[in-house]
Short mmCIF file of all heavy atoms in Angstrom, two decimals:
data_model
loop_
_atom_site.label_atom_id
_atom_site.label_comp_id
_atom_site.label_asym_id
_atom_site.label_seq_id
_atom_site.Cartn_x
_atom_site.Cartn_y
_atom_site.Cartn_z
N ARG B 146 114.93 143.13 86.11
CA ARG B 146 116.00 143.32 85.14
C ARG B 146 115.64 144.44 84.15
O ARG B 146 116.41 145.33 83.88
CB ARG B 146 116.20 142.01 84.38
CG ARG B 146 117.50 141.86 83.67
CD ARG B 146 117.63 140.47 83.08
NE ARG B 146 117.62 139.42 84.11
CZ ARG B 146 117.63 138.12 83.82
NH1 ARG B 146 117.63 137.70 82.57
NH2 ARG B 146 117.62 137.22 84.79
N ASN B 147 114.43 144.35 83.61
CA ASN B 147 113.97 145.35 82.63
C ASN B 147 112.44 145.38 82.61
O ASN B 147 111.80 144.67 83.40
CB ASN B 147 114.53 145.04 81.23
CG ASN B 147 114.17 143.62 80.80
OD1 ASN B 147 113.08 143.14 81.09
ND2 ASN B 147 115.10 142.94 80.14
N ALA B 148 111.89 146.19 81.73
CA ALA B 148 110.43 146.37 81.69
C ALA B 148 109.71 145.05 81.41
O ALA B 148 108.66 144.76 81.99
CB ALA B 148 110.07 147.41 80.62
N GLU B 149 110.29 144.23 80.54
CA GLU B 149 109.66 142.96 80.19
C GLU B 149 109.55 142.05 81.43
O GLU B 149 108.52 141.44 81.69
CB GLU B 149 110.49 142.28 79.10
CG GLU B 149 109.80 141.10 78.46
CD GLU B 149 110.75 140.22 77.64
OE1 GLU B 149 111.96 140.54 77.60
OE2 GLU B 149 110.27 139.22 77.09
N TYR B 150 110.65 141.97 82.18
CA TYR B 150 110.63 141.16 83.41
C TYR B 150 109.67 141.73 84.43
O TYR B 150 108.99 141.00 85.14
CB TYR B 150 112.04 141.06 84.00
CG TYR B 150 112.84 139.92 83.42
CD1 TYR B 150 113.32 139.99 82.12
CD2 TYR B 150 113.08 138.77 84.16
CE1 TYR B 150 114.03 138.95 81.57
CE2 TYR B 150 113.79 137.72 83.62
CZ TYR B 150 114.27 137.81 82.33
OH TYR B 150 114.96 136.77 81.79
N TYR B 151 109.65 143.03 84.52
CA TYR B 151 108.73 143.66 85.47
C TYR B 151 107.30 143.27 85.13
O TYR B 151 106.52 142.87 86.00
CB TYR B 151 108.91 145.19 85.48
CG TYR B 151 107.77 145.87 86.16
CD1 TYR B 151 107.55 145.67 87.52
CD2 TYR B 151 106.88 146.67 85.45
CE1 TYR B 151 106.47 146.25 88.16
CE2 TYR B 151 105.80 147.26 86.08
CZ TYR B 151 105.60 147.04 87.43
OH TYR B 151 104.53 147.60 88.07
N ASP B 152 106.95 143.38 83.86
CA ASP B 152 105.60 143.00 83.43
C ASP B 152 105.31 141.55 83.75
O ASP B 152 104.24 141.19 84.22
CB ASP B 152 105.45 143.21 81.92
CG ASP B 152 105.11 144.66 81.59
OD1 ASP B 152 104.79 145.41 82.54
OD2 ASP B 152 105.17 145.02 80.40
N ALA B 153 106.30 140.69 83.48
CA ALA B 153 106.12 139.26 83.71
C ALA B 153 105.90 138.98 85.20
O ALA B 153 105.00 138.23 85.58
CB ALA B 153 107.33 138.49 83.21
N LEU B 154 106.71 139.61 86.02
CA LEU B 154 106.62 139.36 87.47
C LEU B 154 105.33 139.92 88.04
O LEU B 154 104.64 139.30 88.84
CB LEU B 154 107.79 140.02 88.19
CG LEU B 154 109.12 139.30 88.10
CD1 LEU B 154 110.23 140.20 88.62
CD2 LEU B 154 109.06 138.00 88.90
N ALA B 155 105.03 141.14 87.63
CA ALA B 155 103.90 141.82 88.24
C ALA B 155 102.60 141.47 87.55
O ALA B 155 101.54 141.92 87.95
CB ALA B 155 104.14 143.33 88.19
N GLY B 156 102.68 140.65 86.51
CA GLY B 156 101.45 140.26 85.84
C GLY B 156 100.97 141.31 84.87
O GLY B 156 99.85 141.27 84.39
N GLY B 157 101.83 142.30 84.55
CA GLY B 157 101.48 143.33 83.58
C GLY B 157 100.14 143.95 83.92
O GLY B 157 99.84 144.24 85.07
N ALA B 158 99.34 144.10 82.88
CA ALA B 158 98.04 144.73 83.07
C ALA B 158 97.15 143.87 83.98
O ALA B 158 96.22 144.37 84.60
CB ALA B 158 97.37 144.93 81.72
N ASP B 159 97.47 142.57 84.07
CA ASP B 159 96.65 141.67 84.89
C ASP B 159 96.95 141.79 86.38
O ASP B 159 96.27 141.24 87.22
CB ASP B 159 96.93 140.20 84.52
CG ASP B 159 96.41 139.89 83.15
OD1 ASP B 159 95.54 140.65 82.69
OD2 ASP B 159 96.88 138.91 82.57
N PHE B 160 98.05 142.44 86.67
CA PHE B 160 98.53 142.43 88.04
C PHE B 160 97.48 142.90 89.03
O PHE B 160 97.13 142.21 89.96
CB PHE B 160 99.79 143.29 88.12
CG PHE B 160 100.35 143.43 89.50
CD1 PHE B 160 100.42 142.32 90.34
CD2 PHE B 160 100.82 144.64 89.95
CE1 PHE B 160 100.96 142.44 91.60
CE2 PHE B 160 101.35 144.77 91.22
CZ PHE B 160 101.42 143.67 92.04
N ARG B 161 96.97 144.10 88.78
CA ARG B 161 95.99 144.64 89.72
C ARG B 161 94.79 143.72 89.87
O ARG B 161 94.46 143.34 90.98
CB ARG B 161 95.56 146.03 89.29
CG ARG B 161 96.60 147.05 89.67
CD ARG B 161 96.41 148.34 88.94
NE ARG B 161 97.06 149.40 89.69
CZ ARG B 161 96.42 150.20 90.52
NH1 ARG B 161 95.13 150.09 90.68
NH2 ARG B 161 97.07 151.11 91.18
N PRO B 162 94.19 143.30 88.75
CA PRO B 162 93.03 142.43 88.93
C PRO B 162 93.33 141.20 89.78
O PRO B 162 92.59 140.89 90.69
CB PRO B 162 92.66 142.03 87.50
CG PRO B 162 93.18 143.14 86.67
CD PRO B 162 94.39 143.68 87.37
N TYR B 163 94.49 140.52 89.56
CA TYR B 163 94.59 139.30 90.35
C TYR B 163 95.03 139.55 91.76
O TYR B 163 94.66 138.84 92.67
CB TYR B 163 95.31 138.15 89.66
CG TYR B 163 96.79 138.08 89.62
CD1 TYR B 163 97.58 138.29 90.75
CD2 TYR B 163 97.42 137.74 88.43
CE1 TYR B 163 98.94 138.20 90.68
CE2 TYR B 163 98.78 137.65 88.38
CZ TYR B 163 99.54 137.89 89.50
OH TYR B 163 100.87 137.78 89.44
N ALA B 164 95.78 140.61 91.96
CA ALA B 164 96.08 140.93 93.35
C ALA B 164 94.80 141.30 94.09
O ALA B 164 94.67 141.09 95.28
CB ALA B 164 97.09 142.06 93.43
N LEU B 165 93.87 141.83 93.34
CA LEU B 165 92.64 142.32 93.98
C LEU B 165 91.47 141.40 93.70
O LEU B 165 90.33 141.77 93.89
CB LEU B 165 92.31 143.71 93.42
CG LEU B 165 93.40 144.76 93.59
CD1 LEU B 165 92.99 146.05 92.91
CD2 LEU B 165 93.66 145.01 95.06
N ARG B 166 91.78 140.17 93.26
CA ARG B 166 90.71 139.39 92.65
C ARG B 166 89.56 139.07 93.58
O ARG B 166 88.44 138.97 93.14
CB ARG B 166 91.27 138.11 92.05
CG ARG B 166 91.76 137.19 93.10
CD ARG B 166 92.15 135.85 92.65
NE ARG B 166 92.44 135.15 93.88
CZ ARG B 166 93.61 135.20 94.49
NH1 ARG B 166 94.60 135.82 93.94
NH2 ARG B 166 93.78 134.61 95.65
N ASP B 167 89.81 138.92 94.87
CA ASP B 167 88.70 138.57 95.76
C ASP B 167 88.14 139.79 96.45
O ASP B 167 87.51 139.71 97.49
CB ASP B 167 89.17 137.60 96.84
CG ASP B 167 89.71 136.34 96.23
OD1 ASP B 167 89.15 135.91 95.21
OD2 ASP B 167 90.68 135.80 96.76
N THR B 168 88.43 140.95 95.88
CA THR B 168 88.17 142.14 96.66
C THR B 168 87.23 143.08 95.93
O THR B 168 87.56 144.22 95.68
CB THR B 168 89.47 142.88 96.94
OG1 THR B 168 90.07 143.15 95.66
CG2 THR B 168 90.41 142.06 97.75
N GLN B 169 86.11 142.54 95.53
CA GLN B 169 85.17 143.39 94.81
C GLN B 169 84.86 144.60 95.66
O GLN B 169 84.56 144.47 96.84
CB GLN B 169 83.90 142.59 94.52
CG GLN B 169 84.23 141.45 93.57
CD GLN B 169 83.02 140.86 92.93
OE1 GLN B 169 81.91 141.02 93.41
NE2 GLN B 169 83.23 140.18 91.84
N GLY B 170 84.99 145.74 95.05
CA GLY B 170 84.71 146.96 95.79
C GLY B 170 85.87 147.38 96.68
O GLY B 170 85.77 148.36 97.40
N ALA B 171 87.00 146.61 96.63
CA ALA B 171 88.14 147.01 97.46
C ALA B 171 88.64 148.36 96.97
O ALA B 171 88.47 148.72 95.81
CB ALA B 171 89.24 145.98 97.39
N ASP B 172 89.30 149.05 97.87
CA ASP B 172 89.71 150.41 97.57
C ASP B 172 91.02 150.39 96.79
O ASP B 172 92.10 150.31 97.35
CB ASP B 172 89.87 151.15 98.90
CG ASP B 172 90.12 152.63 98.68
OD1 ASP B 172 90.23 153.04 97.50
OD2 ASP B 172 90.17 153.34 99.68
N THR B 173 90.93 150.44 95.46
CA THR B 173 92.15 150.38 94.65
C THR B 173 92.98 151.64 94.81
O THR B 173 94.12 151.69 94.39
CB THR B 173 91.81 150.18 93.16
OG1 THR B 173 90.85 151.15 92.79
CG2 THR B 173 91.29 148.80 92.91
N GLU B 174 92.40 152.64 95.43
CA GLU B 174 93.19 153.84 95.73
C GLU B 174 94.26 153.53 96.75
O GLU B 174 95.15 154.31 97.01
CB GLU B 174 92.29 154.96 96.29
CG GLU B 174 91.22 155.43 95.33
CD GLU B 174 91.81 155.95 94.02
OE1 GLU B 174 92.68 156.81 94.10
OE2 GLU B 174 91.42 155.44 92.95
N LYS B 175 94.15 152.39 97.38
CA LYS B 175 95.11 152.03 98.42
C LYS B 175 96.16 151.06 97.91
O LYS B 175 96.80 150.37 98.69
CB LYS B 175 94.36 151.39 99.59
CG LYS B 175 93.59 152.36 100.44
CD LYS B 175 92.91 151.57 101.54
CE LYS B 175 92.79 152.36 102.84
NZ LYS B 175 92.32 151.48 103.92
N PHE B 176 96.30 150.93 96.60
CA PHE B 176 97.26 149.98 96.04
C PHE B 176 98.25 150.70 95.14
O PHE B 176 97.86 151.36 94.18
CB PHE B 176 96.48 148.92 95.25
CG PHE B 176 97.33 147.77 94.83
CD1 PHE B 176 97.60 146.75 95.73
CD2 PHE B 176 97.88 147.72 93.56
CE1 PHE B 176 98.40 145.68 95.35
CE2 PHE B 176 98.68 146.66 93.18
CZ PHE B 176 98.94 145.64 94.08
N PHE B 177 99.54 150.60 95.46
CA PHE B 177 100.56 151.36 94.73
C PHE B 177 101.71 150.47 94.28
O PHE B 177 102.10 149.56 95.01
CB PHE B 177 101.13 152.47 95.62
CG PHE B 177 100.08 153.40 96.15
CD1 PHE B 177 99.45 153.12 97.37
CD2 PHE B 177 99.72 154.53 95.45
CE1 PHE B 177 98.48 153.97 97.87
CE2 PHE B 177 98.75 155.38 95.95
CZ PHE B 177 98.11 155.10 97.16
N GLU B 178 102.21 150.77 93.09
CA GLU B 178 103.39 150.06 92.60
C GLU B 178 104.54 151.04 92.43
O GLU B 178 104.34 152.13 91.90
CB GLU B 178 103.09 149.44 91.24
CG GLU B 178 102.14 148.27 91.29
CD GLU B 178 101.73 147.85 89.89
OE1 GLU B 178 102.63 147.60 89.08
OE2 GLU B 178 100.52 147.82 89.64
N HIS B 179 105.72 150.60 92.84
CA HIS B 179 106.94 151.38 92.63
C HIS B 179 107.95 150.44 91.99
O HIS B 179 108.11 149.31 92.44
CB HIS B 179 107.48 151.91 93.96
CG HIS B 179 106.43 152.55 94.82
ND1 HIS B 179 106.05 153.86 94.68
CD2 HIS B 179 105.64 152.02 95.80
CE1 HIS B 179 105.09 154.13 95.56
NE2 HIS B 179 104.82 153.02 96.25
N VAL B 180 108.58 150.93 90.94
CA VAL B 180 109.40 150.02 90.14
C VAL B 180 110.82 150.54 89.95
O VAL B 180 111.02 151.75 89.80
CB VAL B 180 108.79 149.86 88.73
CG1 VAL B 180 109.48 148.74 87.98
CG2 VAL B 180 107.31 149.65 88.81
N ALA B 181 111.76 149.61 89.94
CA ALA B 181 113.12 149.96 89.53
C ALA B 181 113.61 148.88 88.58
O ALA B 181 113.35 147.70 88.80
CB ALA B 181 114.04 150.02 90.75
N THR B 182 114.27 149.26 87.51
CA THR B 182 114.84 148.26 86.60
C THR B 182 116.33 148.52 86.41
O THR B 182 116.79 149.66 86.50
CB THR B 182 114.14 148.27 85.22
OG1 THR B 182 114.11 149.62 84.73
CG2 THR B 182 112.72 147.74 85.31
N ASP B 183 117.03 147.43 86.14
CA ASP B 183 118.49 147.53 85.97
C ASP B 183 118.85 148.43 84.79
O ASP B 183 119.88 149.11 84.81
CB ASP B 183 119.10 146.13 85.72
CG ASP B 183 118.90 145.21 86.91
OD1 ASP B 183 118.53 145.71 87.99
OD2 ASP B 183 119.12 143.99 86.76
N ASP B 184 118.01 148.42 83.75
CA ASP B 184 118.36 149.19 82.55
C ASP B 184 117.51 150.45 82.38
O ASP B 184 117.61 151.14 81.37
CB ASP B 184 118.24 148.30 81.30
CG ASP B 184 116.79 147.90 81.03
OD1 ASP B 184 115.90 148.22 81.85
OD2 ASP B 184 116.55 147.26 79.98
N GLY B 185 116.68 150.70 83.35
CA GLY B 185 115.88 151.92 83.30
C GLY B 185 114.70 151.86 82.33
O GLY B 185 114.02 152.86 82.11
N SER B 186 114.41 150.68 81.78
CA SER B 186 113.32 150.60 80.80
C SER B 186 111.94 150.71 81.44
O SER B 186 110.95 150.88 80.75
CB SER B 186 113.44 149.31 79.97
OG SER B 186 113.53 148.19 80.80
N ALA B 187 111.87 150.60 82.76
CA ALA B 187 110.63 150.92 83.48
C ALA B 187 111.02 151.49 84.83
O ALA B 187 111.95 151.01 85.47
CB ALA B 187 109.77 149.67 83.65
N GLY B 188 110.32 152.51 85.24
CA GLY B 188 110.54 153.10 86.56
C GLY B 188 111.94 153.63 86.77
O GLY B 188 112.63 154.06 85.83
N HIS B 189 112.37 153.58 87.99
CA HIS B 189 113.69 154.08 88.38
C HIS B 189 114.81 153.25 87.74
O HIS B 189 114.73 152.03 87.68
CB HIS B 189 113.78 154.01 89.91
CG HIS B 189 115.15 154.27 90.45
ND1 HIS B 189 115.72 155.52 90.44
CD2 HIS B 189 116.06 153.43 91.00
CE1 HIS B 189 116.94 155.44 90.99
NE2 HIS B 189 117.17 154.19 91.33
N HIS B 190 115.84 153.93 87.27
CA HIS B 190 116.99 153.24 86.68
C HIS B 190 117.98 152.94 87.81
O HIS B 190 118.69 153.81 88.28
CB HIS B 190 117.63 154.16 85.62
CG HIS B 190 118.72 153.49 84.85
ND1 HIS B 190 119.27 154.05 83.71
CD2 HIS B 190 119.35 152.31 85.02
CE1 HIS B 190 120.20 153.24 83.23
NE2 HIS B 190 120.27 152.18 84.02
N GLY B 191 117.99 151.67 88.26
CA GLY B 191 118.88 151.32 89.37
C GLY B 191 118.24 150.27 90.26
O GLY B 191 117.37 149.52 89.82
N PHE B 192 118.69 150.24 91.51
CA PHE B 192 118.17 149.24 92.45
C PHE B 192 116.85 149.68 93.07
O PHE B 192 116.65 150.89 93.28
CB PHE B 192 119.17 149.01 93.59
CG PHE B 192 120.45 148.37 93.15
CD1 PHE B 192 121.68 148.97 93.46
CD2 PHE B 192 120.45 147.19 92.43
CE1 PHE B 192 122.86 148.38 93.06
CE2 PHE B 192 121.64 146.60 92.03
CZ PHE B 192 122.85 147.20 92.34
N ASN B 193 116.02 148.71 93.42
CA ASN B 193 114.78 149.07 94.11
C ASN B 193 115.09 149.67 95.49
O ASN B 193 114.34 150.51 95.97
CB ASN B 193 113.81 147.88 94.21
CG ASN B 193 114.39 146.67 94.89
OD1 ASN B 193 115.59 146.64 95.21
ND2 ASN B 193 113.56 145.67 95.12
N THR B 194 116.21 149.26 96.06
CA THR B 194 116.54 149.79 97.39
C THR B 194 116.89 151.28 97.34
O THR B 194 116.86 151.96 98.36
CB THR B 194 117.71 149.00 98.02
OG1 THR B 194 118.73 148.82 97.02
CG2 THR B 194 117.27 147.65 98.53
N ASP B 195 117.22 151.80 96.14
CA ASP B 195 117.45 153.25 96.01
C ASP B 195 116.20 154.03 96.41
O ASP B 195 116.29 155.18 96.83
CB ASP B 195 117.81 153.63 94.55
CG ASP B 195 119.07 152.94 94.06
OD1 ASP B 195 119.84 152.43 94.90
OD2 ASP B 195 119.28 152.89 92.83
N LEU B 196 115.04 153.42 96.20
CA LEU B 196 113.77 154.11 96.45
C LEU B 196 113.27 153.93 97.89
O LEU B 196 112.28 154.54 98.30
CB LEU B 196 112.68 153.58 95.49
CG LEU B 196 113.01 153.67 94.00
CD1 LEU B 196 111.90 153.03 93.18
CD2 LEU B 196 113.19 155.14 93.59
N LEU B 197 113.98 153.07 98.62
CA LEU B 197 113.49 152.64 99.93
C LEU B 197 113.32 153.78 100.91
O LEU B 197 112.23 153.98 101.48
CB LEU B 197 114.49 151.60 100.47
CG LEU B 197 114.06 150.76 101.65
CD1 LEU B 197 112.83 149.96 101.31
CD2 LEU B 197 115.21 149.83 102.04
N GLU B 198 114.40 154.54 101.12
CA GLU B 198 114.35 155.60 102.14
C GLU B 198 113.26 156.62 101.82
O GLU B 198 112.53 157.05 102.72
CB GLU B 198 115.71 156.29 102.26
CG GLU B 198 116.71 155.53 103.14
CD GLU B 198 116.18 155.25 104.55
OE1 GLU B 198 115.42 156.07 105.10
OE2 GLU B 198 116.52 154.17 105.10
N GLY B 199 113.14 156.96 100.55
CA GLY B 199 112.11 157.92 100.14
C GLY B 199 110.72 157.44 100.52
O GLY B 199 109.92 158.19 101.09
N LEU B 200 110.46 156.17 100.25
CA LEU B 200 109.14 155.62 100.56
C LEU B 200 108.91 155.56 102.07
O LEU B 200 107.84 155.90 102.57
CB LEU B 200 108.99 154.21 99.96
CG LEU B 200 108.87 154.17 98.43
CD1 LEU B 200 108.97 152.73 97.92
CD2 LEU B 200 107.55 154.79 97.99
N LEU B 201 109.93 155.10 102.78
CA LEU B 201 109.78 154.99 104.24
C LEU B 201 109.54 156.36 104.86
O LEU B 201 108.80 156.49 105.85
CB LEU B 201 111.03 154.33 104.85
CG LEU B 201 111.22 152.83 104.57
CD1 LEU B 201 112.60 152.37 105.01
CD2 LEU B 201 110.13 152.00 105.24
N ALA B 202 110.16 157.40 104.28
CA ALA B 202 110.00 158.75 104.82
C ALA B 202 108.62 159.32 104.50
O ALA B 202 108.01 160.02 105.29
CB ALA B 202 111.09 159.67 104.26
N LYS B 203 108.13 158.96 103.32
CA LYS B 203 106.89 159.57 102.84
C LYS B 203 105.64 158.93 103.46
O LYS B 203 104.67 159.60 103.75
CB LYS B 203 106.86 159.44 101.33
CG LYS B 203 105.69 160.13 100.66
CD LYS B 203 105.93 160.29 99.17
CE LYS B 203 104.69 160.83 98.48
NZ LYS B 203 104.75 160.61 97.04
N TYR B 204 105.69 157.59 103.60
CA TYR B 204 104.49 156.89 104.07
C TYR B 204 104.71 156.37 105.48
O TYR B 204 105.83 156.14 105.90
CB TYR B 204 104.14 155.73 103.14
CG TYR B 204 103.88 156.17 101.73
CD1 TYR B 204 104.89 156.12 100.77
CD2 TYR B 204 102.62 156.65 101.35
CE1 TYR B 204 104.66 156.53 99.48
CE2 TYR B 204 102.39 157.07 100.05
CZ TYR B 204 103.40 157.00 99.11
OH TYR B 204 103.17 157.42 97.84
N ASN B 205 103.60 156.12 106.13
CA ASN B 205 103.68 155.69 107.52
C ASN B 205 103.48 154.17 107.62
O ASN B 205 102.45 153.72 108.09
CB ASN B 205 102.59 156.43 108.30
CG ASN B 205 103.05 156.74 109.70
OD1 ASN B 205 104.13 156.31 110.10
ND2 ASN B 205 102.24 157.47 110.43
N PHE B 206 104.43 153.40 107.13
CA PHE B 206 104.25 151.94 107.10
C PHE B 206 104.30 151.36 108.51
O PHE B 206 105.09 151.78 109.34
CB PHE B 206 105.36 151.28 106.28
CG PHE B 206 105.33 151.69 104.83
CD1 PHE B 206 106.40 152.38 104.28
CD2 PHE B 206 104.25 151.38 104.02
CE1 PHE B 206 106.39 152.76 102.95
CE2 PHE B 206 104.23 151.77 102.69
CZ PHE B 206 105.30 152.46 102.15
N ASP B 207 103.43 150.36 108.74
CA ASP B 207 103.57 149.63 110.00
C ASP B 207 103.92 148.16 109.76
O ASP B 207 103.93 147.36 110.68
CB ASP B 207 102.34 149.79 110.90
CG ASP B 207 101.03 149.64 110.15
OD1 ASP B 207 101.06 149.14 109.00
OD2 ASP B 207 99.99 150.02 110.70
N TYR B 208 104.23 147.82 108.49
CA TYR B 208 104.69 146.46 108.19
C TYR B 208 105.52 146.48 106.92
O TYR B 208 105.13 147.12 105.93
CB TYR B 208 103.50 145.52 108.03
CG TYR B 208 103.85 144.08 107.68
CD1 TYR B 208 104.60 143.30 108.57
CD2 TYR B 208 103.45 143.50 106.48
CE1 TYR B 208 104.94 141.98 108.26
CE2 TYR B 208 103.76 142.18 106.16
CZ TYR B 208 104.51 141.43 107.06
OH TYR B 208 104.84 140.14 106.76
N VAL B 209 106.66 145.78 106.93
CA VAL B 209 107.49 145.64 105.74
C VAL B 209 107.76 144.15 105.53
O VAL B 209 108.05 143.43 106.49
CB VAL B 209 108.83 146.40 105.89
CG1 VAL B 209 109.76 146.11 104.72
CG2 VAL B 209 108.59 147.90 106.02
N ALA B 210 107.61 143.70 104.29
CA ALA B 210 107.92 142.30 103.98
C ALA B 210 108.84 142.29 102.77
O ALA B 210 108.64 143.08 101.83
CB ALA B 210 106.64 141.53 103.66
#
Side-chain angles (χ1 to χ4, degrees):
Chain B
R146 199 175 298 175
N147 55 37
E149 192 195 1
Y150 273 72
Y151 165 64
D152 276 349
L154 283 169
D159 291 340
F160 176 42
R161 281 164 158 262
Y163 81 47
L165 303 176
R166 67 172 186 275
D167 301 323
T168 56
Q169 295 196 340
D172 188 356
T173 50
E174 298 302 307
K175 286 180 147 189
F176 190 82
F177 304 90
E178 289 171 54
H179 312 275
V180 190
T182 51
D183 297 347
D184 67 355
S186 54
H189 170 72
H190 187 169
F192 294 127
N193 57 353
T194 45
D195 300 343
L196 304 176
L197 194 60
E198 278 305 327
L200 289 170
L201 289 170
K203 185 164 174 197
Y204 300 96
N205 214 355
F206 296 117
D207 45 15
Y208 179 63
V209 173

